[in-house]
mmCIF file of all heavy atoms in Angstrom:
data_model
loop_
_atom_site.group_PDB
_atom_site.id
_atom_site.type_symbol
_atom_site.label_atom_id
_atom_site.label_comp_id
_atom_site.label_asym_id
_atom_site.label_seq_id
_atom_site.Cartn_x
_atom_site.Cartn_y
_atom_site.Cartn_z
ATOM 1 N N VAL A 29 109.502 126.401 111.726
ATOM 2 C CA VAL A 29 109.217 125.424 112.779
ATOM 3 C C VAL A 29 110.216 124.275 112.695
ATOM 4 O O VAL A 29 110.882 124.087 111.681
ATOM 5 C CB VAL A 29 107.775 124.852 112.662
ATOM 6 C CG1 VAL A 29 106.740 125.899 113.014
ATOM 7 C CG2 VAL A 29 107.531 124.279 111.269
ATOM 8 N N VAL A 148 96.186 129.995 109.104
ATOM 9 C CA VAL A 148 97.130 129.017 109.639
ATOM 10 C C VAL A 148 97.995 129.671 110.713
ATOM 11 O O VAL A 148 98.425 130.812 110.568
ATOM 12 C CB VAL A 148 98.029 128.470 108.501
ATOM 13 C CG1 VAL A 148 99.245 127.722 109.048
ATOM 14 C CG2 VAL A 148 97.227 127.547 107.585
ATOM 15 N N ASP A 149 98.238 128.944 111.808
ATOM 16 C CA ASP A 149 99.217 129.365 112.805
ATOM 17 C C ASP A 149 100.581 128.877 112.307
ATOM 18 O O ASP A 149 100.860 127.677 112.332
ATOM 19 C CB ASP A 149 98.881 128.738 114.164
ATOM 20 C CG ASP A 149 99.918 129.076 115.233
ATOM 21 O OD1 ASP A 149 100.946 129.716 114.905
ATOM 22 O OD2 ASP A 149 99.709 128.679 116.401
ATOM 23 N N TRP A 150 101.405 129.791 111.849
ATOM 24 C CA TRP A 150 102.672 129.409 111.222
ATOM 25 C C TRP A 150 103.716 128.966 112.239
ATOM 26 O O TRP A 150 104.862 128.673 111.856
ATOM 27 C CB TRP A 150 103.182 130.542 110.337
ATOM 28 C CG TRP A 150 102.309 130.689 109.130
ATOM 29 C CD1 TRP A 150 101.290 131.592 108.943
ATOM 30 C CD2 TRP A 150 102.322 129.852 107.961
ATOM 31 N NE1 TRP A 150 100.684 131.370 107.730
ATOM 32 C CE2 TRP A 150 101.285 130.312 107.099
ATOM 33 C CE3 TRP A 150 103.096 128.768 107.547
ATOM 34 C CZ2 TRP A 150 101.021 129.720 105.866
ATOM 35 C CZ3 TRP A 150 102.841 128.177 106.322
ATOM 36 C CH2 TRP A 150 101.811 128.652 105.502
ATOM 37 N N GLN A 151 103.328 128.874 113.502
ATOM 38 C CA GLN A 151 104.201 128.286 114.528
ATOM 39 C C GLN A 151 103.702 126.898 114.961
ATOM 40 O O GLN A 151 104.327 126.252 115.805
ATOM 41 C CB GLN A 151 104.278 129.217 115.753
ATOM 42 C CG GLN A 151 104.839 130.600 115.453
ATOM 43 C CD GLN A 151 106.200 130.552 114.787
ATOM 44 O OE1 GLN A 151 107.105 129.863 115.248
ATOM 45 N NE2 GLN A 151 106.370 131.279 113.685
ATOM 46 N N ASP A 152 102.596 126.470 114.390
ATOM 47 C CA ASP A 152 102.033 125.152 114.724
ATOM 48 C C ASP A 152 102.445 124.157 113.637
ATOM 49 O O ASP A 152 101.869 124.120 112.553
ATOM 50 C CB ASP A 152 100.507 125.240 114.818
ATOM 51 C CG ASP A 152 99.857 123.895 115.131
ATOM 52 O OD1 ASP A 152 100.586 122.906 115.365
ATOM 53 O OD2 ASP A 152 98.613 123.835 115.114
ATOM 54 N N ARG A 153 103.447 123.356 113.933
ATOM 55 C CA ARG A 153 104.004 122.481 112.892
ATOM 56 C C ARG A 153 103.063 121.339 112.501
ATOM 57 O O ARG A 153 103.257 120.697 111.477
ATOM 58 C CB ARG A 153 105.357 121.921 113.322
ATOM 59 C CG ARG A 153 105.316 120.948 114.484
ATOM 60 C CD ARG A 153 106.694 120.390 114.728
ATOM 61 N NE ARG A 153 106.695 119.399 115.787
ATOM 62 C CZ ARG A 153 107.740 118.645 116.086
ATOM 63 N NH1 ARG A 153 108.863 118.782 115.410
ATOM 64 N NH2 ARG A 153 107.669 117.764 117.067
ATOM 65 N N ARG A 154 102.034 121.098 113.305
ATOM 66 C CA ARG A 154 101.061 120.054 112.956
ATOM 67 C C ARG A 154 100.155 120.487 111.815
ATOM 68 O O ARG A 154 99.660 119.651 111.066
ATOM 69 C CB ARG A 154 100.202 119.700 114.187
ATOM 70 C CG ARG A 154 100.962 119.087 115.337
ATOM 71 C CD ARG A 154 100.115 119.061 116.594
ATOM 72 N NE ARG A 154 99.719 120.408 117.006
ATOM 73 C CZ ARG A 154 98.931 120.690 118.038
ATOM 74 N NH1 ARG A 154 98.419 119.704 118.762
ATOM 75 N NH2 ARG A 154 98.634 121.941 118.342
ATOM 76 N N THR A 155 99.930 121.790 111.691
ATOM 77 C CA THR A 155 99.001 122.277 110.663
ATOM 78 C C THR A 155 99.661 123.142 109.589
ATOM 79 O O THR A 155 99.223 123.131 108.436
ATOM 80 C CB THR A 155 97.860 123.090 111.301
ATOM 81 O OG1 THR A 155 98.411 124.176 112.058
ATOM 82 C CG2 THR A 155 96.996 122.212 112.207
ATOM 83 N N CYS A 156 100.719 123.878 109.916
ATOM 84 C CA CYS A 156 101.261 124.839 108.945
ATOM 85 C C CYS A 156 101.903 124.147 107.743
ATOM 86 O O CYS A 156 102.058 124.763 106.681
ATOM 87 C CB CYS A 156 102.232 125.814 109.597
ATOM 88 S SG CYS A 156 103.865 125.141 109.979
ATOM 89 N N VAL A 157 102.251 122.876 107.885
ATOM 90 C CA VAL A 157 102.875 122.151 106.768
ATOM 91 C C VAL A 157 101.841 121.641 105.764
ATOM 92 O O VAL A 157 102.201 121.188 104.674
ATOM 93 C CB VAL A 157 103.707 120.949 107.280
ATOM 94 C CG1 VAL A 157 104.775 121.424 108.253
ATOM 95 C CG2 VAL A 157 102.831 119.868 107.921
ATOM 96 N N ILE A 216 93.512 127.592 112.492
ATOM 97 C CA ILE A 216 93.043 126.214 112.345
ATOM 98 C C ILE A 216 93.648 125.332 113.428
ATOM 99 O O ILE A 216 94.849 125.389 113.707
ATOM 100 C CB ILE A 216 93.458 125.665 110.965
ATOM 101 C CG1 ILE A 216 92.767 126.446 109.843
ATOM 102 C CG2 ILE A 216 93.157 124.168 110.838
ATOM 103 C CD1 ILE A 216 93.381 126.232 108.476
ATOM 104 N N THR A 217 92.797 124.500 114.043
ATOM 105 C CA THR A 217 93.269 123.461 114.959
ATOM 106 C C THR A 217 92.752 122.124 114.446
ATOM 107 O O THR A 217 91.636 122.028 113.934
ATOM 108 C CB THR A 217 92.777 123.680 116.399
ATOM 109 O OG1 THR A 217 91.343 123.655 116.416
ATOM 110 C CG2 THR A 217 93.264 124.999 116.955
ATOM 111 N N MET A 218 93.577 121.083 114.582
ATOM 112 C CA MET A 218 93.189 119.791 114.037
ATOM 113 C C MET A 218 93.776 118.654 114.854
ATOM 114 O O MET A 218 94.935 118.712 115.264
ATOM 115 C CB MET A 218 93.661 119.659 112.583
ATOM 116 C CG MET A 218 93.251 118.365 111.925
ATOM 117 S SD MET A 218 93.630 118.313 110.166
ATOM 118 C CE MET A 218 95.402 118.143 110.212
#
Side-chain angles (χ1 to χ4, degrees):
V29 290
V148 166
D149 177 355
W150 290 98
Q151 300 305 310
D152 179 5
R153 68 175 183 172
R154 296 167 300 177
T155 57
C156 76
V157 302
I216 296 165
T217 61
M218 182 173 72

